[in-house]
Amino acid sequence: MGSILIVAEIQKGTIREASYELAAFASKLGGREVTSLVIGSGVAGEAESFAKKGGGKVYVADDAALGDYNVDGYAAAIEAAIEATSPELVLISNTPSGWDVAPRIAAKLDAGFVSDAFDVQDEGGKLVFLRRVFNGKLDCKVTAETDKVVATIQPGATAPFEGSSDGSVETLSVDLSGVRAKFVETKVAEAKGVDLSKADIIVSGGRGVGDPEKFPEVIQPLAEALGGAMGASRPVVDAGWLPHEYQVGSSGQVVAPKLYVACGISGAIQHLVGMKASNFIIAINKDPDAPIFEVADIGVVGDLFEVCPALTGAVKEAKG
Ligand SMILES: Cc1cc2nc3c(=O)[nH]c(=O)nc-3n(C[C@H](O)[C@H](O)[C@H](O)COP(=O)(O)OP(=O)(O)OC[C@H]3O[C@@H](n4cnc5c(N)ncnc54)[C@H](O)[C@@H]3O)c2cc1C
């Protein structure tokens, strides 16, 4: 059975949670040796942490020139790690840098490429990837005909690696003489309309709200009564009911307000990843088995069209 190479990603000096999720997938594919690569500048400490949390033997490509993302430099480091480990599977997170570098690596290796998978399984020794298609309506299974596969995995598709592991760290020397790309600057997109990342209280509506006109009637008044901002799940944004800046989740904003109220939201992993760090979560859903209740501090099983207006009224009354 082949081995797995995890390409860990550094964000603001630390390894992203998504990389620990890759470690969880790798450990699930038991029997395969796991090695990892940490790329950056001054990241030896992070490599040590990763080695103890599912990263296995961790190669660290530590160079001032790799401090900011640079596709040529990162590709050179990944190729050096591949040469050292000959993996059957290269796992990369499905993040903007992953979108950029992963296909290059696959093309260079002449490997199969699976993008945006949310699960990977071992079926009789064969790697089978699961991808969502048709806007999440269908799941499809993908296998590669090639001996080597490069796959990008959705952040938030699984829980991060839990527990501890016995790993080691080794420095990887990377030839950066062929680097032509130059990092210029990071530009943070200007927040339009609503900046959920700064809101202390967020009241989000999901597909359960059912109608764009109900947002200003039911969700917005509760948000305003609480002195908070309105948010939404992805189907609301996909349907054009609210603009993208309202979206909470893995492909929207990641928020951690003091209070998060989820109304008519089922609690899919991609939504949870964007709000589960909230200090206090209230979920209103008419389905008692909705997964959102697993992360809620208070769960209200009921019709949001009754519960939200009642709550809005009670908050207004309490505030006088
Ligand atoms: C690559 C990818 C990225 C994604 N990114 C995101 C993301 O960033 N954010 C995100 O949210 N999703 C994201 N998704 C989609 C995600 O998988 C779910 O499909 C989505 O979160 C479901 O949204 P929802 O909970 O609003 O809708 P549903 O899952 O349809 O849930 C609606 C809920 O409303 C409840 N309900 C219905 N009527 C009422 C009522 N009257 N009162 C109370 N409850 C009611 C139902 O019981 C149900 O639980 C992503 C998916 C993919 C594949």
Side-chain angles (χ1 to χ4, degrees):
M1 219 175 265
S3 64
I4 300 173
L5 174 70
I6 298 169
V7 179
E9 194 174 323
I10 296 280
Q11 193 181 40
K12 293 184 185 151
T14 54
I15 289 180
R16 281 181 80 135
E17 183 156 287
S19 303
Y20 290 100
E21 294 162 11
L22 297 182
F25 276 120
S27 80
K28 193 180 86 158
L29 296 169
R32 291 173 168 84
E33 192 193 344
V34 177
T35 53
S36 300
L37 171 66
V38 173
I39 310 168
S41 174
V43 290
E46 284 300 302
E48 292 283 350
S49 309
F50 202 54
K52 291 185 189 121
K53 279 223 145 224
K57 179 173 178 179
V58 179
Y59 288 93
V60 57
D62 204 319
D63 193 300
L66 297 170
D68 292 300
Y69 175 73
N70 176 314
V71 69
D72 287 342
Y74 275 49
I78 297 169
E79 283 165 30
I82 288 171
E83 212 173 298
T85 59
S86 289
E88 169 194 17
L89 170 63
V90 181
L91 286 176
I92 300 178
S93 297
N94 195 53
T95 55
S97 60
W99 304 334
D100 194 26
V101 78
R104 281 179 196 239
I105 298 298
K108 190 92 191 248
L109 284 182
D110 210 12
F113 179 54
V114 181
S115 67
D116 199 22
F118 68 90
D119 199 2
V120 50
Q121 297 162 355
D122 181 328
E123 291 188 5
K126 200 162 177 63
L127 293 170
V128 177
F129 299 87
L130 278 94
R131 296 183 76 240
R132 293 230 152 88
V133 291
F134 296 113
N135 213 7
K137 289 189 175 61
L138 291 179
D139 293 346
C140 75
K141 286 184 167 184
V142 182
T143 54
E145 298 291 318
T146 48
D147 294 339
K148 288 185 189 299
V149 192
V150 176
T152 63
I153 307 283
Q154 271 180 30
T158 190
F161 182 88
E162 299 222 343
S164 58
S165 64
D166 265 348
S168 58
V169 175
E170 195 171 302
T171 302
L172 184 72
S173 99
V174 183
D175 178 8
L176 296 172
S177 60
V179 171
R180 291 171 304 167
K182 196 172 134 209
F183 174 82
V184 179
E185 64 175 316
T186 301
K187 278 195 173 170
V188 180
E190 209 180 296
K192 291 175 250 141
V194 57
D195 184 2
L196 294 180
S197 65
K198 295 204 171 67
D200 276 345
I201 298 174
I202 298 173
V203 179
S204 287
R207 188 158 23 207
V209 177
D211 185 326
E213 286 173 12
K214 298 291 177 199
F215 276 82
E217 281 176 27
V218 182
I219 306 299
Q220 183 81 47
L222 179 55
E224 279 173 10
L226 289 165
M230 184 167 70
S233 67
R234 177 163 160 172
V236 169
V237 171
D238 284 351
W241 298 354
L242 284 173
H244 184 255
E245 63 260 29
Y246 287 85
Q247 184 181 320
V248 173
S250 62
S251 52
Q253 294 203 55
V254 175
V255 297
K258 289 182 182 152
L259 172 64
Y260 189 87
V261 188
C263 312
I265 293 177
S266 59
I269 182 87
Q270 295 88 358
H271 189 81
L272 298 187
V273 79
M275 47 62 78
K276 68 182 176 195
S278 304
N279 198 39
F280 199 88
I281 298 170
I282 301 178
I284 303 163
N285 197 303
K286 65 181 182 185
D287 173 6
D289 296 322
I292 191 78
F293 289 130
E294 287 165 27
V295 298
D297 296 285
I298 293 180
V300 183
V301 179
D303 187 336
L304 72 91
F305 296 108
E306 289 170 16
V307 179
C308 290
L311 201 51
T312 307
V315 172
K316 281 186 178 163
E317 205 178 301
K319 283 188 169 175

